[in-house]
Structures are given as structure tokens and as C-alpha cells.
Amino acid sequence: MTRVAVIGAGQTKFDEHWSKSLRDLSTEAGALALQDANLEGRDIQALYIGNMSAGRFIGQEHLAALTADHAGLTPIPATRCEAACASGALAFRKAYMAIKSGEYDIVVAAGAEKMTDIKGTSAISTLMGAGDQEWESSIGLTFVGLYALLTRIHMKQFGTTREQLAMVSVNNHKNGVLNPLAQFRKEISIEDVLKSPMIADPLRLLDCSPITDGAAAVILASERVAKSLDNPVWILGSGQASDTLALHNRTNLTGMLATKIAARKAYEQAGLGPEKIDIAEVHDCFSINEIIAIEDLGFCEKGLGGKFIEEGRISRSSEKPINTTGGLKSVGHPVGATGIRQIVDLTRQLKGQCGPMQVKEVKTGLALNIGGSGATAIVNILGKE
Amino acid sequence: MTRVAVIGAGQTKFDEHWSKSLRDLSTEAGALALQDANLEGRDIQALYIGNMSAGRFIGQEHLAALTADHAGLTPIPATRCEAACASGALAFRKAYMAIKSGEYDIVVAAGAEKMTDIKGTSAISTLMGAGDQEWESSIGLTFVGLYALLTRIHMKQFGTTREQLAMVSVNNHKNGVLNPLAQFRKEISIEDVLKSPMIADPLRLLDCSPITDGAAAVILASERVAKSLDNPVWILGSGQASDTLALHNRTNLTGMLATKIAARKAYEQAGLGPEKIDIAEVHDCFSINEIIAIEDLGFCEKGLGGKFIEEGRISRSSEKPINTTGGLKSVGHPVGATGIRQIVDLTRQLKGQCGPMQVKEVKTGLALNIGGSGATAIVNILGKE
């Protein structure tokens, strides 16, 4: 079975793009990735795109064919993958498996979402399509509401503090200041978080990732193609798992079972454990989720995530730098694009292309992309030769 | 590279299901497929589901995790695939490639759509999400309108007659009478079609496939698992291609380039040509599309599709039986489910399980599933040992 490498990466600025449509954004990201890989459109054999809800946001399904069309890539096979906010990593994983199947040598995996300047239903209502329509959204639950429930339980069971939650956002904003593609490039303080408007008790505005437009793309290649290139980044392991859509069906709410299973699979495939991961991009849609993530990924013991962060052990200069380019909180969270954006940032860190954001001696990186309140989790581990 | 087989198939009745939700339908189809394969839920290693627009129809994205959850299959990886009305075949093809990649041995591929008893926007408006939102739906085009344009061109260029179009629906209804899972089990005459209400000139009501609820599922297995079973059905070839989303960007409107390219790939992989295909399930969303399909698949020369049908060469007892169980017109068209339903029907024909619908001496079968007005085409060829 062939190994698979990431040989190009591109990302639009994550922002409110009032003058760019979804097709403009995805094509821009794809062109940047092609340029980075030093390839042309005719070299691409298949396209995968992650998108959560263009049908509701902009009245457009059939997004993969549209993207191939707008980017001048027809008649290549074009596939849209969807798993709510994990749609990006899902597209990446399916592209990876397509190359492993022997069907293609060079594939583009993109992610895109247009969430502002839309008609129709609000983003809040559309995003709740990631939860259980019959048992959660129909009774008025919103996503921040679901995560507020998870926060309360974590605080009660492990003594996680309101300040520790704030430190997640503080760290992400500090990292994002240096990221020219981030939506919010401004440092914030713990006090700023604690004084920001309450959204769903105990989560406040600055605990929440924003509504964003954006796209990201990576080029994947088989070993046959990639081995002759300088400095390829290899996919060492990949895992995906599911869990109940509604929170009320889970037996445990202090962690995410799907993350643990997906991580175990990815670690096994990569032949390494969490102690060997140099940097990680994790899914901080709300501050609590970064704490849960670093526990479930095995970076610290269950329940000690808040303390781990309080001790400064996730900063860019620490032992386990997390969300080194700003995370969902600062970079922004165009839901279908985030999973690919994480791969873009890991690839650049592994290649040493991050300028002032660069972390030293990065040989392995892990990305965790989560859909809904944990019903989908996808973990990918990248590494150098 | 392992070969891949279909080892189980299940389908709900296609109908207006006022008392069953989308999750009920997909779980029912999956359970029937498992039963057919003589397997249990714990044997399934991954789930793929094709669905076009549950986000708009019922406010539910993240459908793969929901289906795994409702069917008791968590924590297996669960992936939704979308390419408008080709979502079913897309899920099937991705499941096939996942097994070829070596990642899994036994996978379920399902398709489901709930189109009646919905709130929110109408089915007609939602279905237009398969076309180009900026250039087609925004100016009022509907899908039947797009296909009416294709019909006019075909009639003008090749002399295809209104009566020949009607014969497509007549043949499909005749076949569907014997199908207990079909939505409409009633013979119709050419006169019935010609007298039915005009929808988009020259297409009338009985040229159009209906709005339907339903689900279908198949179990795929690697050669390692399948070779010990009686009577497995093998996937001999699979092809997928894209084309421009909007009709106005095509250089030719008398055929579908994506179909031709996908078919060529599938024929090449299977090592056979159209003359060796014993039966076919093609995408007759509107009567014209069956005529275009049999031409593009190479069953007859371009432009002679209408004549081919008029000469009775697609009936169940003819040389090239098409849509032997009723096609989209009679079986119904729950858009995300259709591509899998086609595979279910081919599998049953190949296994000789079709009772009064059975075609004699079926050794190979082809399925063509189309998204939008041809921006996605997927061709799969199945066969016996």
C-alpha cells in the first residue's frame, strides 16, 4: 500500500468576505495550493471538498462539481464530504484513502464555507443541523448551549475553573496575532474574556469561535510522486470515529469517546504515542473543547486539562504547543474549511515555513477536527521523513 | 489490490412515508441489507451514506453520524457523500474505494432522502440546489425547465419524437407494476403521457420522476471475506466524472460528457464494452434523460436513442433490458437513495432473486446515476464470477 504525502497547501484569509462568493474562496485556496505544490490544474486527478451546509447558507448543493467547474478542473471526479464541522478533515481523509486505493496519484482536498452575507436562515439555526434535529434543535438547544452543558460537568467533576477556560482563548489570540490569515489578530486578557457578554452560562462571547467565511486546500500525492520532491510531509496515521448525535445518549460527558477512538487508531497507524507529537491543532470551537481535546488526545490526564493550560504548557515555546497559528478562536471557523486549514498549518510548521509563528524542531504534528458535539472525530498525524 | 463484492442488499418501499422519519428509513434499509448478507451490526467497519439535502428538507446535517447512532453502529467511521441526485452512487463508490485502500473489509453503503412531510422550502426549490445557484436557480430555472431545454435540442437535432419520450415512461411503468417496492405500480399508455399536464414544454407530468421518501443499502466486502460466500456479485468497474454545473457552459447539449467519461473508465476497468452489458439501471429523472443515457453509454448510436426505444429494444425480454424494476419514474426518486437502489436491483437481478421481474441469463449489469443536469455522472458495472 502506498504512503501518502501532502505536497502543497493554500488558504484564503479567514474573514467576513463581503465581496467573495463561496466558489471564489474555494478556487482561490486551490490555486494557492497548486502554486505551492508547483503543479497545474491538469495534474489534479480528483477533487474532494468538505462543506457543511452550503445548501442552507447559500442555496447551493452539488458543491464539488461546482468547485471543479469554477476552478477549470472538469471532468475529474469531484466529491463533497460532510460531517458538520468535521467536513474538512473528512474530505482530507477520503482523499488520502482514494490515493491509498490506487485510484489516483495526485488529489486536491479542500474545505470551504460561506457563513456571512447569506440569505435564508441564520447561521446559529443552520449550525444546529450538526446536532440532533428531533431531540436537540427542535426543543431550542443551540451549539453553545450544548457546550455550556459540557463545561458545567467538567467544572463540577474536575474543578476546572472559569479562568482556565479563559486561558484557552487568551493563548489562541496570542498566537493568532502573528497569523496574517487569521480573522482576529488582537491579544486579549483573561479579564477581557470574563467581562465579555454571557452567551450560554458559563460560556461568554470570547469563549466562542466566530462566524467566518474562508477556504483552504491541500494537494495529496502518492509515494511514487512525492518521493522525488524536497521536504514532503507524510500522513503517518489517520483515524475517524462516530458517537451518538444527541448528548443525552452518551454514557460519559467529560470526554469525547469518538476522539479517543480516532486518536488511538491514528497513533497505532503512526506507530507513536501522544508524547511524540511535537505540535497539535485541536478543535476549539468553544474554549471547553480545547481542554477536553488535550485530555482525550492523551497530552495530559483526564481532568487535568485546565491545569495543563494554566501551567503554560501549550504555549508556542512550551513542550506541547497547541493551536500555534490561533485555533478556531482567532483564525476563525468557516466550518467546512477548518479541518483542511489545520492540515495547512501543520504542513507549514513541518516545512518550517511559518516565519515568526514557527515552532522549533517540529517533526510530527496532529490535527483533531470535531463534528457537532463530538458525534464525529477525525485525527490525522503528519510527519517528516 | 483487493477485488470488492456486494454481499447484501436492502431497500425500503419507495413511497410517501408520512409515519417514518429519515432515520427510520435508513435504518430499515440497513437492517434489511445486513439480514440479506447474514451479518450483524458489529460486523460493519464503516458506514457511507448518500444524501442530497437533508439540511434543507428536514434541518438535519451530520447525517452519517446520525445514521450510525440510530442504527446502533457507533463508534464506526461514518461518512456522508453528496453530489445532488448522484449522492447514492457516490457513497457506493467511496465505500468501494475504502475497501480497495485496505482500510476495511466490510462496509455498508446507504442512500436516503425524506422529501415529503417536510417543513421549510419546497422540494422544487431545494432540488434546484443541484444546479448553479448564481446562474440558473437565481433567475427562476427549475430542474424540469433545464431538462426541457435538453429535450428541445434533442428533438430538433435528431428528430426524437414526443411519442418516443412517452415510451420511456410507458416501459418504466410496465416494469414497475411487478415491483412491490415501487411507488407507482400502474401501467400507463402513450396517450396517458401525452394528455398529462404540461410541466415545462415539451415535458409533461408523466415524463417526470416523482417526489419520494425512501432508503436503500448494500453491504460491500473485500475479496478475503467475499470469496468464501455463495454467489457474490463483484464490482467489475467504476467511473466518476464531472462537468460544468450550468448548462450554458457546455459545448454540447445533446449528450452528457461526464457520463461518457465515467462509462469509458468503468468499461476499461471491467475489460468489457457496452455490448457485453446484460441489463442496465439508468437515471430517468425525466424521460429525455433515459434516451440521452442509452446513447452516452454506447447502447446505441448518438441520436438513435428514441428509435431504439420505439423498436422495443429496452423491454424486459429484449436484447438490452433497461430499468427492469421500473426506473426512477415508477420506483420513485428519493434523490440520495436512487444510486444505491440501482445497485440493490442489479445485485438482485445478478443473483436471480427478482421473481416475476427476473431477466434471464444476467451476468453483467450497469448502473448510471446522474447529479444535476449532468455535472456529476457515476457508472458502476457489476458482474458474477
Side-chain angles (χ1 to χ4, degrees):
Chain A
M1 208 65 70
T2 181
R3 291 195 301 161
V4 181
V6 179
I7 63 166
Q11 183 203 331
T12 69
K13 181 162 169 57
F14 279 12
D15 214 333
E16 294 184 24
H17 283 293
W18 294 79
S19 61
K20 289 181 184 174
S21 68
L22 184 57
R23 67 186 79 188
D24 295 333
L25 292 166
S26 50
T27 301
E28 181 182 328
L32 290 167
L34 275 176
Q35 194 175 25
D36 186 46
N38 200 20
L39 293 175
E40 294 185 44
R42 61 170 158 263
D43 300 315
I44 302 295
Q45 296 168 322
L47 175 151
Y48 286 73
I49 187 163
N51 170 270
M52 174 177 163
S53 215
R56 288 186 68 181
F57 281 128
I58 60 167
Q60 182 70 67
E61 310 284 3
H62 213 174
L63 199 70
L66 173 64
T67 307
D69 175 9
H70 196 63
L73 297 176
T74 58
I76 63 167
T79 300
R80 175 194 168 200
C81 300
E82 186 267 323
C85 308
S87 299
L90 190 68
F92 179 75
R93 186 173 146 82
K94 300 305 144 181
Y96 158 73
M97 286 165 69
I99 291 178
K100 277 184 74 179
S101 79
E103 191 89 8
Y104 315 114
D105 279 312
I106 305 179
V107 172
V108 62
E113 206 85 46
K114 176 75 185 162
M115 302 171 76
T116 72
D117 190 21
I118 55 168
K119 57 180 186 178
T121 56
S122 75
I124 301 304
S125 146
T126 297
L127 289 171
M128 217 23 228
D132 192 315
Q133 198 280 327
E134 283 186 25
W135 295 98
E136 293 181 330
S137 42
S138 65
I139 56 167
L141 263 169
T142 59
F143 252 90
V144 64
L146 289 170
Y147 276 95
L149 294 171
L150 296 178
T151 312
R152 280 271 173 239
I153 290 166
H154 208 274
M155 292 173 91
K156 183 169 179 216
Q157 189 140 346
F158 303 120
T160 301
T161 67
R162 199 30 281 204
E163 287 72 18
Q164 289 168 346
L165 290 161
M167 289 169 198
V168 171
S169 300
V170 170
N171 183 65
N172 285 331
H173 271 263
K174 188 177 176 191
N175 288 339
V177 167
L178 296 171
N179 185 350
L181 301 175
Q183 185 170 9
F184 297 123
R185 303 181 63 190
K186 184 185 169 188
E187 284 208 46
I188 57 173
S189 67
I190 293 175
E191 199 173 33
D192 290 335
V193 181
L194 300 183
K195 280 186 176 171
S196 66
M198 184 67 80
I199 306 296
D201 196 1
L203 294 176
R204 293 175 177 270
L205 183 65
L206 292 179
D207 290 293
C208 309
S209 60
I211 303 291
T212 315
D213 307 326
V218 291
I219 314 290
L220 294 86
S222 66
E223 191 165 12
R224 196 178 68 74
V225 170
K227 68 183 176 190
S228 62
L229 302 176
D230 287 342
N231 211 7
V233 168
W234 298 98
I235 302 167
L236 305 180
S238 176
Q240 178 190 350
S242 63
D243 199 351
T244 69
L245 210 57
L247 283 186
H248 65 241
N249 281 327
R250 311 249 174 105
T251 50
N252 183 319
L253 290 173
T254 60
M256 292 186 180
L257 185 60
T259 300
K260 291 177 199 164
I261 293 170
R264 191 173 63 212
K265 180 74 191 291
Y267 286 137
E268 274 173 18
Q269 239 179 41
L272 48 78
E275 71 288 351
K276 292 284 186 190
I277 299 295
D278 294 328
I279 58 168
E281 292 290 321
V282 308
H283 196 94
D284 59 307
C285 51
F286 301 98
S287 54
I288 182 65
N289 213 16
E290 182 160 328
I291 293 176
I292 292 174
I294 63 179
E295 294 170 356
D296 290 343
L297 292 168
F299 297 153
C300 66
E301 271 181 56
K302 179 48 75 185
L304 298 185
K307 191 157 169 281
F308 192 78
I309 290 165
E310 188 168 7
E311 290 168 354
R313 294 164 75 181
I314 65 163
S315 73
R316 200 183 295 122
S317 56
S318 73
E319 62 190 283
K320 195 69 78 186
I322 305 281
N323 290 343
T324 60
T325 56
L328 283 59
K329 177 69 194 81
S330 165
V331 183
H333 183 28
V335 286
T338 285
I340 300 286
R341 193 275 304 158
Q342 293 177 321
I343 301 292
V344 168
D345 282 339
L346 285 185
T347 302
R348 289 176 175 167
Q349 284 284 2
L350 282 157
K351 289 191 166 188
Q353 299 171 334
C354 284
M357 292 190 293
Q358 185 64 44
V359 176
K360 285 181 190 162
E361 292 174 25
V362 182
K363 286 182 186 152
T364 57
L366 177 149
L368 165 64
N369 193 197
I370 285 174
S373 55
T376 295
I378 299 172
V379 173
N380 287 294
I381 299 175
L382 307 185
K384 290 201 280 198
E385 199 70 16
Chain B
M1 209 64 71
T2 180
R3 291 194 300 161
V4 181
V6 179
I7 63 166
Q11 184 202 332
T12 69
K13 182 164 168 56
F14 279 13
D15 214 335
E16 294 184 25
H17 283 293
W18 294 79
S19 61
K20 290 179 184 175
S21 68
L22 184 57
R23 66 187 80 189
D24 295 334
L25 291 166
S26 50
T27 302
E28 182 182 327
L32 290 166
L34 275 176
Q35 194 175 26
D36 186 46
N38 201 21
L39 294 174
E40 293 184 44
R42 61 170 158 265
D43 299 315
I44 302 295
Q45 296 168 321
L47 175 150
Y48 287 73
I49 187 163
N51 170 269
M52 174 178 164
S53 216
R56 289 186 67 180
F57 281 128
I58 60 168
Q60 181 70 68
E61 310 284 3
H62 214 174
L63 199 70
L66 173 65
T67 307
D69 176 8
H70 196 63
L73 297 177
T74 59
I76 62 168
T79 300
R80 174 193 167 200
C81 301
E82 186 267 323
C85 308
S87 299
L90 190 69
F92 179 75
R93 185 171 147 83
K94 300 304 143 181
Y96 158 73
M97 285 165 69
I99 291 178
K100 276 184 76 180
S101 80
E103 191 88 7
Y104 315 114
D105 278 312
I106 305 178
V107 171
V108 61
E113 205 84 47
K114 175 76 184 165
M115 302 171 76
T116 73
D117 190 21
I118 54 169
K119 57 180 184 179
T121 55
S122 75
I124 301 303
S125 147
T126 297
L127 288 171
M128 218 22 229
D132 191 315
Q133 198 279 326
E134 284 186 26
W135 295 99
E136 293 181 330
S137 42
S138 63
I139 57 165
L141 263 169
T142 60
F143 251 90
V144 65
L146 289 170
Y147 276 95
L149 295 170
L150 296 179
T151 311
R152 280 271 173 237
I153 290 166
H154 208 276
M155 291 172 91
K156 183 171 177 214
Q157 188 139 347
F158 303 120
T160 301
T161 67
R162 199 29 281 205
E163 287 71 21
Q164 288 168 345
L165 290 162
M167 289 170 198
V168 171
S169 300
V170 170
N171 183 64
N172 285 331
H173 270 262
K174 188 176 175 191
N175 287 340
V177 167
L178 296 170
N179 185 349
L181 301 175
Q183 185 171 7
F184 297 123
R185 303 181 62 192
K186 186 185 169 187
E187 285 208 44
I188 57 173
S189 66
I190 292 175
E191 197 173 34
D192 289 335
V193 181
L194 300 184
K195 281 186 174 171
S196 64
M198 186 65 80
I199 305 296
D201 196 2
L203 294 175
R204 293 175 176 269
L205 183 66
L206 292 179
D207 289 294
C208 309
S209 60
I211 302 292
T212 315
D213 306 326
V218 291
I219 314 291
L220 293 85
S222 66
E223 191 165 10
R224 196 179 68 76
V225 169
K227 67 184 176 190
S228 62
L229 302 176
D230 286 343
N231 211 7
V233 168
W234 298 97
I235 302 167
L236 305 181
S238 176
Q240 179 190 349
S242 63
D243 200 351
T244 69
L245 210 56
L247 283 187
H248 64 243
N249 281 326
R250 311 250 174 105
T251 50
N252 183 318
L253 290 172
T254 60
M256 292 187 180
L257 185 61
T259 299
K260 290 176 200 165
I261 293 170
R264 190 173 63 211
K265 180 76 193 286
Y267 286 136
E268 273 173 18
Q269 237 179 42
L272 48 78
E275 70 289 349
K276 291 286 187 189
I277 299 295
D278 294 329
I279 58 169
E281 292 289 321
V282 307
H283 197 91
D284 59 307
C285 50
F286 301 100
S287 53
I288 183 64
N289 213 16
E290 183 160 328
I291 292 176
I292 292 174
I294 62 178
E295 294 170 356
D296 290 342
L297 291 168
F299 296 155
C300 66
E301 272 180 54
K302 178 49 73 184
L304 299 185
K307 191 158 169 279
F308 193 77
I309 290 165
E310 187 168 8
E311 289 169 354
R313 294 163 75 180
I314 65 163
S315 73
R316 199 183 294 121
S317 56
S318 72
E319 62 191 282
K320 196 69 77 184
I322 305 281
N323 290 343
T324 60
T325 57
L328 283 57
K329 177 68 195 80
S330 165
V331 183
H333 184 29
V335 286
T338 285
I340 300 286
R341 193 275 305 158
Q342 294 177 322
I343 301 291
V344 169
D345 282 339
L346 286 185
T347 303
R348 288 177 176 166
Q349 285 284 3
L350 282 157
K351 288 191 168 187
Q353 297 170 337
C354 283
M357 290 192 293
Q358 185 65 45
V359 176
K360 283 180 190 162
E361 293 174 23
V362 182
K363 285 181 186 155
T364 57
L366 177 150
L368 166 64
N369 193 195
I370 286 174
S373 54
T376 296
I378 300 173
V379 173
N380 287 294
I381 299 175
L382 308 184
K384 289 202 281 199
E385 199 70 16

